[in-house]
Amino acid sequence: MAKLVADLLIERLIHWGVDTVFGLPGDGVDGLFEALRTHQEKLRFIQVRHEEAAAFAACGYAKYTGRLGVCIATSGPGGIHLLNGLYDAKCDGQPVLAITGHTFHDLIGTSYQQDVDLDKLYMDVAAYNQRIMGPGHVESALDEAVRTALSRRTVAHLTIPKDIQEWRASNFHRSPANVPDHSGAIFEPAYPQPPQELLRRAADILNQGRKVAILVGQGCLAARAEVEQVAELLAAPVAKALLGKAVLPDRSPYTTGGLGLLGTAPSQDAMEECDTLLIVGTSFPYLEFYPKPGKAKCVQIDIDATRIGLRHPADVGLVGDSRTALRALVPLLKRREDRSFLETAQKRMESWNELMKERGTRTDLPMKPQVVTHTLNQLLRDDAIVSTDSGTITTWTARYIEMRGTMQFSVSGTLATMANGLPYSIGASVAHPGRQVVCIIGDGGLTMLMGEPATLVKYKLPVKIVVIKNNVLGQIKWEQMVLDANPQFGVELQPIDFAKVAEACGVAGFKLENPADAERVLRSALEHDGPALVEATVDANEPPLPGNVSLKQALHFAEALASGQKDAAEIIKTVVENKVREVI
């Protein structure tokens, strides 16, 4: 049979090495789905229950493989639904290609059904954004889209009118300027090395510092050995942005763990006390957690030149890949004999880890949320892939799930959207069928895309879901109190029996309410042959306290309690107990 435009596009994706597409069918992409059907031996289609989940899954696939994630949606509402997941990919620097349908090419702009100009709608989210105009346009446009997504680690978008998808390729001629095969499908990432003069200036600053701290992010995920080498030479504690959680094992002698509201007190202490800061592969957005401008000299390494000096004044900026730049920097660094700054951080981390263990092994009822993640951490394999969602659940996961071995971890970092956790896990399980994949999610995030457990069953993906159920949008509750000095409002959730919902989808359901049962229930779920969900009911009044509480936060908290906060007495009791344990 003669090839159609849709065939050309799908075959070009295969030519680029794409093996998986996440999406949902619709009449606006019927031609593309026929091409997917006829090429299914080379290209898998994973059907999700909502287009937003398709974009999240493509982002998760990209995060956990380093390869291009691809999602597809129909015209109009289908393409609109992709947007949140695509912004997540854009904000976290992940290569994702979105392919959408459009209405008939000669009815665009006439208010026909689903006549939404997606190429206009996607102008902000997509670095490359183009409408396919015919058979001769497919190859060059798709090549440019893929190159842009991979080289700039961002989102690209192609939209194709419904009828053009089904045009016969042989019935149309190229324009004279469109030379056949001029667009080569070759991509090799370029890792520029900073000039020697800048490397020497950076080394001078780092060698002269007495108290050097390092902040790393997801740009260092492939540079663990180099980060450890620099930390050892400079006797520097390493704080980790959340997306860089897997850069170093959480029990590494060099790391003080996460930074920020859900980070550790030792990391914040290191930022406040350092006289020199090395920022590598991160654009950690929370400015208040950096050293105050002028207090510390700063060297920054980032592959994106526009990010140098974006969060903190940089005395020297090195543009390049983290691994390459660190390798070039190491020979210029001198081993610091005074190890006191690192040793102080290590002692603080010993105390912090003891505090986390004490909180994670509490036997109170209702069960504390950190008991769930603390117990789960002990049961995870050393190659587990862990995804979490946005909310208080992010704190419990960040603090209690410890990276070790070849474990991978991610979350919606800069966008901090809810509902990403389960689709991320779908992408991870599709990409890594032999590895343990665990999703830790809140009841608010899970209900946003609650159809996706059925996707796990449909494709036999053995993802384990741990849902922390407190019947409240917890992060928003505490933000209303601590950031705005207001009592909670609009955050209570109608309870759902998630174990029953899981079982209705074909997923094994487990319930956990008592800390004494935590290990048994979680182990049973992890050992289940297939997808499983644990509904863990926890104390809604357990606050995700920051590593160091500021005076302003404390005052706002007190004002909110005095203004009619629900369960104020129970909250006060919980906070006092936590602070007493911390002091002890």
Side-chain angles (χ1 to χ4, degrees), residues 203-204 215 225 314 402 415 443 456 466:
D204 287 344
L215 174 61
E402 296 181 348
L415 187 61
D443 45 1
L456 303 180
V466 180

Side-chain angles (χ1 to χ4, degrees), residues 539-553:
D539 185 358
N541 291 321
E542 179 72 7
L545 294 171
N548 288 326
V549 179
S550 71
L551 176 60
K552 184 177 181 181
Q553 289 169 338

Side-chain angles (χ1 to χ4, degrees), residues 202-365:
D204 287 344
I205 290 174
L206 296 171
N207 287 330
Q208 290 168 13
R210 293 184 302 107
K211 298 179 178 181
V212 181
I214 302 174
L215 174 61
V216 299
Q218 67 173 343
C220 292
L221 288 173
R224 174 180 291 185
E226 290 75 15
V227 171
E228 286 184 338
Q229 191 173 7
V230 172
E232 165 61 23
L233 286 169
L234 298 176
V238 180
K240 300 186 290 186
L242 187 56
L243 291 178
K245 182 173 173 60
V247 172
L248 293 181
D250 280 301
R251 292 287 176 161
S252 164
Y254 300 109
T255 187
T256 51
L259 183 66
L261 285 173
L262 44 70
T264 72
S267 284
Q268 189 57 41
D269 291 339
M271 289 294 117
E272 291 175 356
E273 296 171 6
C274 71
D275 60 23
T276 307
L277 176 64
L278 174 60
I279 305 172
V280 193
T282 182
S283 185
F284 181 75
Y286 305 106
L287 308 181
E288 63 271 30
F289 292 98
Y290 288 87
K292 296 293 185 290
K295 185 178 183 299
K297 291 281 189 177
C298 177
V299 173
Q300 184 176 357
I301 299 172
D302 202 290
I303 200 165
D304 184 349
T306 66
R307 296 189 182 274
I308 300 293
L310 179 63
R311 309 299 187 195
H312 188 277
D315 295 277
V316 175
L318 303 177
V319 178
D321 166 70
S322 298
R323 189 179 185 186
T324 303
L326 288 174
R327 283 184 172 180
L329 189 60
V330 162
L332 304 176
L333 298 178
K334 300 174 183 177
R335 189 179 191 279
R336 178 162 288 105
E337 296 304 320
D338 180 2
R339 321 294 286 179
S340 58
F341 189 55
L342 176 61
E343 289 167 356
T344 297
Q346 290 169 339
K347 290 177 182 177
R348 288 170 173 168
M349 275 306 291
E350 289 177 8
S351 299
W352 177 265
N353 287 330
E354 284 299 315
L355 176 63
M356 293 300 101
K357 180 180 178 181
E358 193 279 333
R359 290 181 179 174
T361 54
R362 290 175 62 174
T363 58
D364 312 45
L365 287 173

